[in-house]
Amino acid sequence: MAVAWSGMRGVSAEPGYVVMQPTTLCNLACDYCYLPFRRENRKMPVAVAEAVAAGVAGFARTGRFSVVWHGGEPLAAGRDHLAALFAPFGAGVEHHVQTNATLIDDDWCAFFTEHDVRVSVSVDGPRRRNGDRVDRGGKPAYDLIVRGIDRLRAHGIPFSTLCVVGDPGPGVATELYEYFLGLGCEVLGINVEELEGVNTRLNRHDPAAVSAFWAELVGAWRRDPRIHLREVEWSLRYAAAVLDGSADELLPRRHDPIPTVAHDGSVVLLSPELAGFHDPRYGDFTSGNVLSTPLPEILAGATGTPWIQEFLRGVEACRGACPYFGFCGGAHAANRYFEHGRFDVTETNHCRNSKIRLLEGVLDHARDHEATAV
């Protein structure tokens, strides 16, 4: 029987977190990076952080609230400047950094400890899987990444990892999981490479191969589940909810606006990947600037933004047509736009690779495991 999914209607005016861009600069030149200004050092003024801190103070009082420092490479802003950007945020705010780890040294570890920063490292597995992660001269960055991770471990700083997979072929999932077990991370997120931003590489893969990749990853995780595996654990939670009839309760009632505040204070909602891009119809995708409009006011007017209206029409199209809607809540805005040039389309390659095939792979593993156990 089909479920009339009731979640993900409209955009919430209250975010669970905010993404901040302390600098556009990145010291690497990864082949799959989507960022348009990573060679330029445009730093966020402290006034932008002060405006955001004032805007999120009310959200932070209602429970745990996160500020995610993204880039560019956040550490390229320098410790003193990052500390100045942190300063306006009060108690109740949890700081996260997404970093390539190449700049991490003992002084940065002291900074993380002092400010109680949650650290997530971008690394794509063992050396031979990191060919796309290079410096500006085209030299492999792997040794620098591992050196930074070694510093985190030496200082007892827990960390998460984010891994981009460009070729989800046989054996890759097991190799990756075993590598990250040895690395010592607490949480692992897996992203099958996406076509977005300045990365125009196609991300089409054989459906059976992608499903097999996810099934293999589940098998590796079940043999030694010491790492929190982001995608797999969510899939299992969803499958359990389907079985007990509570699946519709898993989806948030509305989309998290995910406000991304660029270095200059401009705010892009729903998809950080849209920041810095321009469309002939919709302009630069911004919904306002915190230097002139308080963030809560920007969020309250989110659904009046033309491209967001188009996106919400696309979500409703997904709701009516896709049997996987209860699992993903509709295709991500940036994937719709960069794959199709508009927001009211439905299925994307990202949907297929990281939602549909993910759930199918988890279920395939469960069926195979059950058959083997009989």
Side-chain angles (χ1 to χ4, degrees), residues 150-217:
D150 286 343
R151 290 296 83 210
L152 291 174
R153 294 193 299 196
H155 286 265
I157 297 174
F159 62 96
S160 302
T161 48
L162 185 61
C163 171
V164 175
V165 177
D167 179 21
V172 173
T174 300
E175 178 187 10
L176 290 175
Y177 188 75
E178 290 177 352
Y179 171 83
F180 285 105
L181 274 177
L183 199 64
C185 62
E186 293 191 340
V187 181
L188 171 60
I190 298 285
N191 288 348
V192 177
E193 184 179 343
E194 302 169 44
L195 186 160
E196 58 187 5
V198 298
N199 178 25
T200 58
R201 302 196 308 197
L202 293 178
N203 60 339
R204 297 192 189 101
H205 300 285
D206 174 62
V210 181
S211 294
F213 168 84
W214 290 114
E216 181 184 323
L217 186 63

Side-chain angles (χ1 to χ4, degrees), residues 71-191:
E73 166 53 46
L75 306 194
R79 281 186 299 279
D80 290 344
H81 190 61
L82 203 56
L85 295 176
F86 277 24
F89 294 93
V93 170
E94 187 175 273
H95 291 283
H96 298 246
V97 295
Q98 184 65 48
T99 175
N100 60 39
T102 60
L103 300 176
I104 294 177
D105 56 16
D106 293 334
D107 291 335
W108 271 115
C109 288
F111 178 94
F112 297 149
T113 301
E114 177 185 355
H115 296 279
D116 195 23
V117 177
R118 273 65 170 174
V119 179
S120 179
V121 175
S122 299
V123 58
D124 298 338
R127 183 184 301 275
R128 72 190 190 96
R129 298 288 177 192
N130 278 266
D132 288 323
R133 302 190 65 75
V134 296
D135 65 18
R136 290 189 179 187
K139 296 180 181 177
Y142 182 75
D143 288 339
L144 296 176
I145 296 169
V146 171
R147 185 185 68 184
I149 293 172
D150 286 343
R151 290 296 83 210
L152 291 174
R153 294 193 299 196
H155 286 265
I157 297 174
F159 62 96
S160 302
T161 48
L162 185 61
C163 171
V164 175
V165 177
D167 179 21
V172 173
T174 300
E175 178 187 10
L176 290 175
Y177 188 75
E178 290 177 352
Y179 171 83
F180 285 105
L181 274 177
L183 199 64
C185 62
E186 293 191 340
V187 181
L188 171 60
I190 298 285
N191 288 348

Side-chain angles (χ1 to χ4, degrees), residues 6-24:
S6 62
M8 304 304 253
R9 295 188 184 276
V11 180
S12 173
E14 183 167 335
Y17 62 102
V18 62
V19 180
M20 302 278 283
Q21 186 184 47
T23 178
T24 58

Side-chain angles (χ1 to χ4, degrees), residues 209-232:
V210 181
S211 294
F213 168 84
W214 290 114
E216 181 184 323
L217 186 63
V218 178
W221 174 75
R222 290 188 74 254
R223 288 190 293 272
D224 192 349
R226 281 181 287 154
I227 297 176
H228 288 290
L229 201 50
R230 185 183 65 182
E231 287 77 15
V232 168

Side-chain angles (χ1 to χ4, degrees), residues 155-317:
H155 286 265
I157 297 174
F159 62 96
S160 302
T161 48
L162 185 61
C163 171
V164 175
V165 177
D167 179 21
V172 173
T174 300
E175 178 187 10
L176 290 175
Y177 188 75
E178 290 177 352
Y179 171 83
F180 285 105
L181 274 177
L183 199 64
C185 62
E186 293 191 340
V187 181
L188 171 60
I190 298 285
N191 288 348
V192 177
E193 184 179 343
E194 302 169 44
L195 186 160
E196 58 187 5
V198 298
N199 178 25
T200 58
R201 302 196 308 197
L202 293 178
N203 60 339
R204 297 192 189 101
H205 300 285
D206 174 62
V210 181
S211 294
F213 168 84
W214 290 114
E216 181 184 323
L217 186 63
V218 178
W221 174 75
R222 290 188 74 254
R223 288 190 293 272
D224 192 349
R226 281 181 287 154
I227 297 176
H228 288 290
L229 201 50
R230 185 183 65 182
E231 287 77 15
V232 168
E233 292 184 12
W234 165 247
S235 303
L236 293 173
R237 184 182 172 199
Y238 173 77
V242 169
L243 292 175
D244 68 19
S246 63
D248 189 45
E249 300 171 15
L250 284 183
L251 284 179
R253 297 302 87 190
R254 298 187 178 204
H255 289 269
D256 192 309
I258 316 176
T260 297
V261 183
H263 66 96
D264 61 356
S266 58
V267 179
V268 171
L269 303 179
L270 295 172
S271 283
E273 299 85 357
L274 292 170
F277 290 91
H278 185 277
D279 182 88
R281 295 170 299 157
Y282 296 140
D284 60 8
F285 302 110
T286 62
S287 295
N289 190 299
V290 296
L291 293 177
S292 57
T293 307
L295 183 59
E297 187 175 327
I298 293 173
L299 296 173
T303 53
T305 305
W307 77 260
I308 294 179
Q309 293 175 345
E310 184 177 285
F311 166 72
L312 292 175
R313 291 195 295 273
V315 172
E316 292 310 305

